[in-house]
Amino acid sequence: MIIDNITHGPPVTIIVDGELLSARAGQTIAAALYASGRRVFRHTRIEGKPRGLYCGMGVCFDCIVKVDGETTRACMRNVEQGMQVTLPVRFEAARSRP
Amino acid sequence: MSFERDAELVVVGAGPGGLSAALAAAETGVRAIVIDEYAQPGGQFYKQLSAGFTVRDRARLGYDYTKGDALLARVRAAGVELLSDTLVWASFAPGTLGIRHRSAIGTIRFRAAVVACGAYERAAAFPGWDLPGVMTPGASQTLVKTQRVLPGARMVLAGSGPFLMPVAATLIEAGARVVGIYEATRPSEWARHAPRFIGHWGRMGEAVRYWRTIRKARIPIRFGYVVVRAEGTEALERVVLMRCDRDGGVIASTERFEDADTLCASYGFVPSVQVTRALGCDHVYDAGRGGWIPVHDECMRTSIPGVYIAGEVAGIGGAHAAMAEGRLAGLNAARELGKRVAESAIEDARRERARHRTFAKIVSDIFSIKPRVRELITDDTVVCRCEEVHAREIRAAALAWGANVNFVKGITRCGMGYCQGRICGPLVEDMTAAALGVSAGSVDSFHVRAPIKPLTVRELASMSQADR
C-alpha cells in the first residue's frame, strides 16, 4: 500500500478458495490478491500453467477467476463483503489434447 | 429484462477522445450519451482512483487526475449522460448498438455515433511471457494509479516506445524498486529524426520531466536491448535480455540477467477496432498507426453513415490527438444532426489534430516494432494465451494455409478464446505474413463476431422476444 494522501475504503473480507482474505472496499479482486502477495490467479485448463494479471484493463481475460460461480475478470470486478472467489485449475478432461 | 434507449449521439468510450467528442457536441445542443466499459470514466489516460477510496487533497494526486477531473466536470456541466459499466457486444442493425449495462442487456438506437474505444498494448511475446509477474506496462500503471498497489518488489521495464517513461515515473514516484529500463531502440536511431521535433516543445517537455524522475532515482536505462526470456516456475523470477541490432535481431553472447518478480513489457499499442468492425466500417492496414484502423476522412467520418471515430481507434496518436479528434468528430456529428457549428471551431480542431498527428508520426517512425523480435517467439512459446496455442502450430498452419489468418485461426483455434484474438491477433498476423514472405496487412485480420465481449448465457437469455 502506498501514498499517504489516499484513504482506502472500509475493510471487507472475501473468501478465496475457502480461505479468508482481507481487502478494502474499492479494490479490484486483482488488486486485493496482489496486495496479499498472491500473483498466481489460476492454472490454465489444458496445460495447467500458472497465470495472473497481464493487461490489467479487461482486454486479455488472463486474470479470469470464478466469482460466486461466474467467470469474471479479476482486474475489472471490485471486491464485496463475503464474495466467494474460486481460482480456476486445470481441466483434467483436457489432458488428452495433443 | 432488457432495455432500450434512444440517443441523438452515442459516444463509445469515456477516455480523452470520447469525452471531448461528447462535450463538443453537447455544447452545440446535441443530447449525448457516453457509454464506457469501466466502473469510472476517464479511460486509460485519465485513470481515476477507485470510487471506494477517499482522497484528502485531490490537487496532490497529480496532473493526469486533475486534468481528468476538469474535463469530466465540463462534460457533466454540459448535460452529457455518462453510463459506466456499459460495454458494446454487438450491432445487429444499422443505427443500433447491443450493450450490457452491469448485467442488463439492452439496445441503444442512435442517430450518430462516435467510436473512441482507444487502444491496448501490443504484446511483447517471448518464452515465459505468460508467467504471472510478466505484464504490460499499462497493467502496472493501473495497479498503482487506480488501486494504489505496487505490482512487485523488483521490477524491470522493457520493450519500446515513449509510454515506458511515464510508467517508470509513476512506479518510481509510488516507491517501486525499478532495477532497470530496457528500450529496444538506440538514441543513434533517433538522431536523424531530431529536426522533426522542432515546434513540439510541449511534448518534449513532458519527456524531459519523466526523464528527470528516472535519472534522479538513478535507474539505469539501457538502449538496444530486448527481452529474450522470462524464467520462473510458478511466477517470474528472472528476466534474460540481449542486445539487438536495428532490425531487432539479437547479438550473440550479450545476455544480461535481472532477478525480478515483475516484468512490464510491450511494443507500443494496437487500436481497439472491435466496435467499428461490429458496426461494419471498412478498415485498412497502416503499420505507422498501429495496424488495422477504420477508413476515415478529415471529418472523422467512417464508411458507415453517421458513424465517426476519434483517438487511438483512428491510429495510435496519444491523448492530445485524441482530444482534438474528439472535438472534430463531435462537431461534425453535431452538424450532421442539424446543429449550428462554427466553421472556425472545426478549423481549429482540424489544425490541432494535424499538429498532434505529425508528432505521433515521428514517434511511430522511431519506435515502430523491430521486425526480427518475432524470432524471439520460439516454437514452444505460447502465442494464443487463451486457447494455449503455441508458435509451432501457428507457423505450421500458416505455411499450409496461411493466405488468410482466419484459416490459421480455424485450424489451430488461436484467437477463439475469451479475448477473441485481441492479444494474439497482431502476433498471428505478423507470424503468418512472415511465414509466407508477404507484407503485414496482406493476410487479413481475425473476423470479429458478436458477442465481441463474452456474455453469459443467462445475460443473453434475458433479452426479450422483441430483441431477438
Side-chain angles (χ1 to χ4, degrees):
Chain A
M1 288 299 129
I2 47 168
I3 301 200
D4 55 18
N5 192 29
I6 316 283
T7 311
H8 290 89
V12 295
T13 303
I14 64 171
I15 300 138
V16 180
D17 278 348
E19 285 176 27
L20 300 181
L21 181 79
S22 323
R24 295 295 197 128
Q27 270 184 331
T28 60
I29 298 167
L33 290 171
Y34 253 83
S36 76
R38 181 150 209 166
R39 295 190 290 159
V40 181
F41 290 7
R42 67 173 177 121
H43 287 83
T44 59
R45 66 186 196 287
I46 300 169
E47 297 187 331
K49 291 273 185 66
R51 291 284 174 84
L53 186 70
Y54 180 66
C55 81
M57 58 184 278
V59 173
C60 76
F61 288 77
D62 230 26
C63 68
I64 46 174
V65 296
K66 294 258 184 189
V67 173
D68 300 327
E70 212 157 81
T71 300
T72 307
R73 291 167 284 181
C75 72
M76 295 287 282
R77 179 81 178 267
N78 281 5
V79 294
E80 287 161 37
Q81 180 62 34
M83 183 183 252
Q84 295 267 359
V85 178
T86 314
L87 307 182
V89 294
R90 182 181 193 170
F91 178 52
E92 289 303 317
R95 267 178 194 236
S96 57
R97 212 191 100 168
Chain B
M1 273 277 287
S2 58
F3 62 94
E4 290 191 17
R5 287 290 303 268
D6 283 291
E8 195 172 17
L9 174 70
V10 64
V11 177
V12 185
L19 292 177
S20 301
L23 178 62
E27 283 175 346
T28 70
V30 172
R31 280 174 296 112
I33 300 179
V34 181
I35 62 173
D36 188 86
E37 184 174 355
Y38 298 95
Q40 308 264 28
Q44 297 303 316
F45 188 73
Y46 291 138
K47 278 178 194 133
Q48 299 292 303
L49 267 178
S50 168
F53 300 165
T54 35
V55 184
R56 245 164 282 155
D57 178 7
R58 264 197 100 76
R60 270 178 59 207
L61 276 180
Y63 178 83
D64 294 346
Y65 295 100
T66 46
K67 283 280 207 191
D69 283 351
L71 180 57
L72 273 166
R74 287 180 66 197
V75 167
R76 290 198 172 101
V80 173
E81 184 184 351
L82 289 170
L83 211 53
S84 290
D85 272 315
T86 306
L87 61 79
V88 172
W89 65 275
S91 174
F92 290 119
T96 68
L97 287 173
I99 62 167
R100 184 186 73 187
H101 173 63
R102 304 224 167 88
S103 56
I105 299 294
T107 304
I108 290 186
R109 275 188 300 267
F110 62 83
R111 288 182 59 206
V114 177
V115 180
C117 297
Y120 54 88
E121 282 160 282
R122 179 183 299 278
F126 42 79
W129 71 298
D130 55 330
L131 272 176
V134 181
M135 63 179 76
T136 63
S140 69
Q141 195 195 37
T142 301
L143 265 186
V144 171
K145 281 183 78 172
T146 74
Q147 301 289 322
R148 300 282 146 178
V149 171
L150 285 179
R154 284 180 65 87
M155 307 184 58
V156 171
L157 267 65
S160 188
F163 184 52
L164 290 179
M165 305 265 286
V167 171
T170 303
L171 293 169
I172 292 162
E173 282 161 4
R177 178 145 183 239
V178 179
V179 295
I181 302 171
Y182 292 86
E183 160 63 50
T185 63
R186 290 186 178 79
S188 59
E189 295 167 45
W190 316 348
R192 69 193 165 93
H193 298 284
R196 298 169 67 192
F197 284 111
I198 291 166
H200 296 284
W201 307 123
R203 306 302 301 282
M204 300 303 288
E206 280 173 49
V208 169
R209 274 203 304 280
Y210 299 136
W211 179 265
R212 280 208 192 112
T213 305
I214 294 164
R215 298 315 288 185
K216 213 173 124 198
R218 298 176 181 280
I219 289 153
I221 307 182
R222 293 192 174 82
F223 295 95
Y225 274 92
V226 288
V227 180
V228 298
R229 206 160 63 241
E231 298 174 344
T233 45
E234 275 290 285
L236 180 70
E237 291 161 25
R238 188 166 82 153
V239 183
V240 185
L241 304 111
M242 287 175 83
R243 291 189 74 91
C244 67
D245 60 25
R246 271 169 183 271
D247 291 329
V250 293
I251 299 163
S253 313
T254 56
E255 284 89 349
R256 277 191 64 88
F257 302 91
E258 292 275 19
D259 289 327
D261 60 8
T262 308
L263 166 64
C264 307
S266 71
Y267 289 107
F269 296 89
V270 183
S272 282
V273 293
Q274 283 74 21
V275 172
T276 47
R277 287 207 187 266
L279 282 162
C281 301
D282 291 335
H283 287 70
V284 63
Y285 190 86
D286 184 340
R289 291 209 170 198
W292 293 95
I293 54 169
V295 174
H296 60 284
D297 65 12
E298 277 262 288
C299 300
M300 305 311 294
R301 269 190 299 242
T302 66
S303 60
I304 299 291
V307 176
Y308 295 74
I309 53 172
E312 308 289 51
V313 176
I316 305 311
H320 298 273
M323 287 188 268
E325 288 182 351
R327 279 200 296 285
L328 199 48
L331 291 170
N332 281 304
R335 185 175 269 184
E336 186 179 323
L337 292 165
K339 306 293 189 248
R340 284 171 63 101
V341 177
E343 188 57 39
S344 62
I346 290 184
E347 202 40 58
D348 285 349
R350 196 178 285 159
R351 214 174 307 118
E352 203 176 322
R353 172 196 182 224
R355 189 161 61 88
H356 292 303
R357 281 290 174 193
T358 303
F359 183 79
K361 179 77 171 71
I362 308 170
V363 171
S364 81
D365 285 348
I366 292 174
F367 294 107
S368 62
I369 186 167
K370 292 173 181 283
R372 289 185 63 195
V373 298
R374 76 167 75 90
E375 294 168 14
L376 302 171
I377 308 173
T378 60
D379 275 349
D380 290 330
T381 305
V382 68
V383 174
C384 170
R385 301 164 70 106
C386 302
E387 292 300 302
E388 299 177 70
V389 183
H390 299 85
R392 176 182 294 107
E393 301 157 67
I394 287 167
R395 289 188 173 119
L399 282 171
W401 298 91
N404 187 309
V405 288
N406 290 290
F407 303 157
V408 178
K409 176 182 175 181
I411 287 160
T412 67
R413 291 194 57 80
C414 66
M416 287 195 195
Y418 272 113
C419 92
Q420 296 169 281
R422 285 173 172 86
I423 301 297
C424 73
L427 297 168
V428 174
E429 285 171 29
D430 178 65
M431 291 169 73
T432 303
L436 299 180
V438 299
S439 64
S442 66
V443 289
D444 201 0
S445 60
F446 289 158
H447 294 154
V448 167
R449 296 189 204 290
I452 64 173
K453 283 269 167 107
L455 301 183
T456 65
V457 171
R458 183 173 37 213
E459 287 161 350
L460 279 172
S462 74
M463 290 172 72
S464 69
Q465 198 63 41
D467 297 330
R468 287 175 255 160

